[in-house]
Amino acid sequence: MILAALIPISYLDPKKVGGWDGLTDKLDAPHGHNFTTAWGGTGIGSVNPLGANWLTIVLGLGFVLSFGYWTTNFAEVQRALSAKNLSAAQRTPLIAAYPKVFIVFLVMIPGLVAAALVPKIGTSGSDLQYNDAIPYLMEQLLPNGVLGIAVTGLLAAFMAGMAANVSSFNTVFTNDIWAKYVVTDREDSYYVRFGRLITVIGVAASVGTAFLASSFSNIMSYLQTLFSFFNVPMFVVFIVGMFWRKATSKSGFWGLLAGTVTAMVNYFWIYKQGIISIPSDQGANFVSAIAGFVAGAVVMFAVSLFTRPKPAAELQGLVYGTTSPGMTEAPAAGDDAWYRRPALLGWGAVILAALCYIPFSFWPRRIERPCLKTPDAQSTTSSAKSANWRASRRPRPDCSTCG
């Protein structure tokens, strides 16, 4: 349903600004050539609209935040847990990665077109904020019938994500915190009632956070801020505990706390108070993610050295390289087919992502078409004219000299 909104917009948007060449021309003129490339202007110390450099992008966004999303986001893990067997559970996130590769285009293209059509979007010179980009384009481009389907899809996507988050919140809080540390050894009906109560409280709190989100320039900055505070420390505990048998439960708690506190200190004190100059909220989020990950990992390793780990028998099937006794199962019929192998699916997703990503990482500068009204252009040789025509045979907006 949500694709019913994004696919038509992503197809029609570039046509509204003269195709991809017209879009890049409109954006390169005010922002520079680096605006429409992935890595241009991301050197350390360079200025770019994202406000981040290649190091914080690779480590903060590419590793910590992205890996944390795929491994600790309950909405993603929930799908794998509901699989019919182990083989299907392994394939679930790998198959989901294929459509996820193309989602970036469905989000990126409308945003770029909105920036081209409304150059001052998100600033005091415009009534539109960054969050208004897709609704604005939906209103401009989609007919009424398709617009209704698109709005329904967006609402359905919101409800699906909300349901998964609420389910994970009441499950974790009720079973892993309340039933384990606060009120223990009660009947199941008590915990069912408590789960319903904590669900109402959680939904009310989430409504309140909407007012907090409105203080950010766009919803992505808000989400990345929350992810750097909470997802990243959970990812540290998850990844260290999964690969290191000596990690203890106490080290996990203190690592989680240290990661969250470090990320908050970086954002609210170092960034917001101007102790260190970071150009944007997103750049600060990437730095917070890196700082939280390092702090959490260091504290986990340090605390584990002074606390007693669980016996090896209790770690079977929980730590990488171990297997739970009696949990091995023969593959279901058809699961041993070559096209269902997790390694093949995983590497296929990596190759597909690279093929989609590389062109925008090393996009060559186009040969500019000369203005035919200038003396220099009139004296251009026929061979040079032919080369320029071949390089820019797609329709392009008139140059500023020609008007």
Side-chain angles (χ1 to χ4, degrees):
M1 290 294 289
I2 191 171
L3 295 180
L6 296 180
I7 290 177
I9 290 178
S10 300
Y11 174 75
L12 295 173
D13 283 353
K15 292 181 176 294
K16 193 174 181 68
V17 291
W20 183 256
D21 285 348
L23 176 61
T24 54
D25 285 338
K26 288 181 179 294
L27 294 174
D28 287 351
H31 301 291
H33 174 72
N34 290 332
F35 191 83
T36 52
T37 60
W39 293 105
T42 59
I44 297 177
S46 300
V47 178
N48 60 76
L50 184 60
N53 56 61
W54 67 268
L55 183 62
T56 57
I57 293 174
V58 171
L59 296 180
L61 177 62
F63 173 59
V64 179
L65 288 170
S66 298
F67 278 52
Y69 171 82
W70 279 98
T71 56
T72 64
N73 188 303
F74 196 81
E76 308 297 329
V77 177
Q78 207 173 39
R79 275 64 173 179
L81 294 178
S82 61
K84 62 180 182 180
N85 55 31
L86 179 60
S87 177
Q90 291 174 336
R91 293 195 304 270
T92 297
L94 298 176
I95 294 174
Y98 283 85
K100 194 78 171 180
V101 168
F102 298 101
I103 292 295
V104 63
F105 295 104
L106 302 181
V107 176
M108 175 188 69
I109 293 176
L112 293 176
V113 172
L117 294 177
V118 188
K120 294 184 178 181
I121 187 172
T123 66
S124 57
S126 173
D127 294 333
L128 296 177
Q129 299 301 314
Y130 295 120
N131 294 331
D132 300 325
I134 288 181
Y136 167 77
L137 294 173
M138 289 169 57
E139 178 187 6
Q140 294 292 316
L141 298 175
L142 298 182
N144 290 337
V146 179
L147 179 61
I149 296 175
V151 172
T152 302
L154 293 177
L155 292 176
F158 166 76
M159 293 302 296
M162 190 68 180
N165 290 329
V166 168
S167 174
S168 63
F169 170 73
N170 64 35
T171 300
V172 171
F173 191 90
T174 302
N175 293 335
D176 296 341
I177 298 178
W178 193 262
K180 190 173 182 179
Y181 298 106
V182 183
V183 179
T184 60
D185 299 327
R186 290 290 301 270
E187 65 278 4
D188 291 343
S189 59
Y190 169 81
Y191 296 114
V192 171
R193 292 194 303 271
F194 181 81
R196 293 171 179 171
L197 175 62
I198 202 64
T199 298
V200 174
I201 296 174
V203 171
S206 66
V207 172
T209 60
F211 297 97
L212 178 63
S214 64
S215 64
F216 288 78
S217 62
N218 61 84
I219 193 66
M220 184 53 68
S221 293
Y222 172 66
L223 290 176
Q224 296 287 39
T225 301
L226 294 183
F227 286 167
S228 66
F229 291 170
F230 304 111
N231 274 37
V232 169
M234 284 192 292
F235 172 59
V236 174
V237 175
F238 171 81
I239 201 72
V240 174
M242 188 175 69
F243 287 99
W244 194 38
R245 302 184 187 187
K246 294 184 179 181
T248 65
S249 58
K250 291 183 179 179
S251 72
F253 171 79
W254 290 109
L256 182 67
L257 182 62
T260 300
V261 170
T262 301
M264 289 183 172
V265 167
N266 176 78
Y267 187 84
F268 290 112
W269 184 52
I270 297 179
Y271 167 58
K272 287 295 188 180
Q273 301 301 321
I275 305 300
I276 296 178
S277 177
I278 304 177
S280 67
D281 286 348
Q282 287 286 42
N285 292 334
F286 299 162
V287 175
S288 296
I290 297 172
F293 181 86
V294 172
V298 170
V299 170
M300 278 198 70
F301 279 106
V303 174
S304 294
L305 297 177
F306 298 96
T307 52
R308 179 176 297 178
K310 286 190 174 183
E314 297 182 17
L315 301 176
Q316 298 301 312
L318 299 176
V319 180
Y320 182 78
T322 65
T323 304
S324 271
M327 292 297 293
T328 56
E329 60 179 16
D335 282 352
D336 55 350
W338 65 269
Y339 56 86
R340 292 189 175 186
R341 295 175 182 174
L344 177 65
L345 293 172
W347 282 110
V350 170
I351 294 173
L352 178 62
L355 292 176
C356 294
Y357 186 74
I358 289 175
F360 297 95
S361 301
F362 308 100
W363 197 266
R365 291 180 181 271
R366 297 185 307 272
I367 301 176
E368 297 296 335
R369 184 174 61 182
C371 174
L372 299 180
K373 293 183 181 181
T374 61
D376 292 339
Q378 294 174 356
S379 62
T380 305
T381 62
S382 59
S383 60
K385 289 180 179 179
S386 176
N388 286 332
W389 178 83
R390 286 194 301 271
S392 56
R393 58 178 179 264
R394 292 184 179 180
R396 294 159 57 87
D398 292 335
C399 68
S400 57
T401 305
C402 294

